[in-house]
Amino acid sequence: VLAVSGLLINFIVAYFYSSEGLGIFNQTYALFVIFSQFSSFGIHYSVLKLSSEESKDLKSSSEILISGMLSVLLISLLFSLLFYLLSGLLADLLESPFMATTIKIASAALIFFSLNKVLLSFINGQERLRLFAIGNILRYIFMLLSLIALISLRFPIKDISYIFLISEFSLTIFCLIFVFKVFKPFKVQAIYKRSIKHIRFGLKALLSGLSVELNSRVDVVILGIFASDAIVGAYSFFALVAEGFYNVYVVVKNILNPKVTKLLKVKDHLNLKKLISKTQRIIYPISIILVLMISVFIFFIIPYIPDSNIFYENYLTLIILMTSILLISGFIPFEIILTLGGRPELQSLQTMITLVLNITLNLVLIPWYLAFGAAFATALSWIFGVIILNIFVFRYIGVRIV
C-alpha cells in the first residue's frame, strides 16, 4: 500500500504539474525528510526502545510517551523555524524559485511529522502492530487525498507542500485518539528525568537516523544542484519507486523491532540468529519476483506520463537502484540492530561512514553522468553500508547478519 500510494502520488504530480513540477515536489520532500531527522532528534528511537522494554508498566509507559512528546515538540519548533528561515537560501542553491514557498509551508509540517514519529514508535514498541501499520498507511492516504483536493482547487505547484501539512496534522489526531488512554497523571520531576534520558539517547542515535535519511535523499539534492528540474523529476520518480520497494522491508523491520529488542536485552543470540536466517530465507525469493514485476510495470506506464521521453532516457536508473536493494533486502529488517542493542553511537558511526561515501560518490559521478551517476553512487553506498553493518554487529554484539 505504501509503495503503491507513493507511486500514485508521484504519477499524479507528474501528470498535472509536469516533470519539472515533480522535480520541485521531490526536492522539497527530500529537504523536508532531512530536516525531520534534526527535528525528531532521534528521540523516537529512545521511545521505541523503552516502550518495548517497559511495555507492561502502565505508569512508565505514560511517562515515556509524555516525555517523548514534550521533548520532540520543543526541539521540532526550533528546527521548523530554522527550515523556514533557510527557505530562500535553499531555493537559490537549487535554482528553483518556487521552492522558497514550498519549503516555508513544509516547515510547519515538521512539527507534526516529529510528533508522529514519537507516537508511532511508541505504538510499535507496545507491539500494537496493526495500529502501527494503519498509521503508516494513513500518512500516504492523507497525502493522496490532500493532493487530489489541491489539484481540484487548482492550487499552483508552489503550494504543493500543503499535502505534508494536512497529512501530518491528520495523522497526529489519529494517533492521539488511540493512545489517549495511555496518558496518566504524572510528576514533573519524573517527566523531566525521562526527557533528559530521551534526549541523551536520541543525541547518540541522531547521526544514525540522519545518515539513513540523507543516504536516501542526498542523490536528489545534489542532482538538483547540477541538473534541471525535469531531470530531477524523472530521477526522483524512479528513486521513489525504489524507495517504495525498500519500504516493504522497513515494514518487516518495524514488525520485528520489538522482538529483536527483547532478544538482545536477554542476550539470546541463538534465537536471534534463527530469526535473522528465517527472515532472509523468505525475503530473497520474494525480492526477485518484486523487482521483475515492478520494473516491467513501470516501463509500461511511462507512456502515460507527460514528458515521457525524459523518463525513458533515465529508466536505467530504476534498474540500478532496484538491483542494489534486491542485494541488501535480507539485511534491511535488521539495519538498526546496533541501536536496539544499546549501541546507538556505533549505529551512527556505521551510517556516517556510509553517508560520507555516498556524498563523495554523488559529487564525483553526478557532474559527469547526471541521473546515472546518482543511481550508481547511491547503489554502491547502500551495499557498502551493509558490509560495515555486518562487521560492527559481529564485533560488538556477537551475531552475524548473514
Side-chain angles (χ1 to χ4, degrees), residues 231-396:
I231 292 176
V232 175
Y235 174 77
S236 62
F237 177 81
F238 295 133
L240 193 91
V241 173
E243 183 185 355
F245 178 47
Y246 190 102
N247 282 337
V248 170
Y249 308 105
V250 172
V251 172
V252 178
K253 177 185 73 176
N254 291 331
I255 293 171
L256 294 178
N257 276 343
K259 186 176 293 186
V260 171
T261 300
K262 290 174 181 177
L263 290 173
L264 286 169
K265 185 178 181 181
V266 298
K267 300 187 184 301
D268 189 353
H269 292 173
L270 178 61
N271 281 317
L272 178 58
K273 178 58 182 174
K274 288 180 180 178
L275 177 64
I276 292 170
S277 299
K278 180 181 178 181
T279 303
Q280 291 178 337
R281 284 197 302 270
I282 295 171
I283 279 180
Y284 277 109
I286 295 174
S287 297
I288 294 171
I289 296 171
L290 286 175
V291 167
L292 292 173
M293 290 177 60
I294 294 171
S295 300
V296 171
F297 174 73
I298 295 300
F299 184 83
F300 283 108
I301 69 167
I302 289 177
Y304 300 98
I305 306 175
D307 305 323
S308 58
N309 285 341
I310 198 164
F311 288 88
Y312 276 125
E313 290 170 4
N314 292 279
Y315 176 74
L316 183 59
T317 61
L318 174 65
I319 304 303
I320 295 168
L321 294 171
M322 294 290 285
T323 302
S324 64
I325 294 173
L326 167 62
L327 293 175
I328 66 170
S329 59
F331 302 92
I332 298 171
F334 308 99
E335 64 184 1
I336 64 167
I337 190 171
L338 290 167
T339 296
L340 298 179
R343 302 301 300 268
E345 71 283 356
L346 289 176
Q347 192 83 62
S348 294
L349 178 59
Q350 177 261 333
T351 51
M352 278 300 295
I353 293 171
T354 307
L355 175 61
V356 170
L357 176 65
N358 195 0
I359 292 174
T360 302
L361 288 173
N362 271 285
L363 288 172
V364 170
L365 296 177
I366 285 178
W368 292 94
Y369 304 106
L370 296 180
F372 298 102
F376 271 117
T378 302
L380 289 173
S381 66
W382 281 342
I383 294 169
F384 181 78
V386 164
I387 295 172
I388 297 296
L389 178 65
N390 270 279
I391 293 171
F392 280 12
V393 171
F394 179 68
R395 181 170 180 180
Y396 296 100

Side-chain angles (χ1 to χ4, degrees), residues 188-259:
V188 174
Q189 186 176 11
I191 296 301
Y192 176 76
K193 288 181 178 179
R194 288 279 189 183
S195 297
I196 295 300
K197 191 172 184 179
H198 283 319
I199 292 171
R200 284 176 177 170
F201 188 94
L203 184 59
K204 293 179 182 178
L206 173 62
L207 289 178
S208 172
L210 176 62
S211 301
V212 168
E213 292 299 344
L214 274 173
N215 271 318
S216 63
R217 309 291 172 186
V218 70
D219 50 350
V220 174
V221 175
I222 296 177
L223 184 62
I225 297 173
F226 292 97
S228 66
D229 284 338
I231 292 176
V232 175
Y235 174 77
S236 62
F237 177 81
F238 295 133
L240 193 91
V241 173
E243 183 185 355
F245 178 47
Y246 190 102
N247 282 337
V248 170
Y249 308 105
V250 172
V251 172
V252 178
K253 177 185 73 176
N254 291 331
I255 293 171
L256 294 178
N257 276 343
K259 186 176 293 186

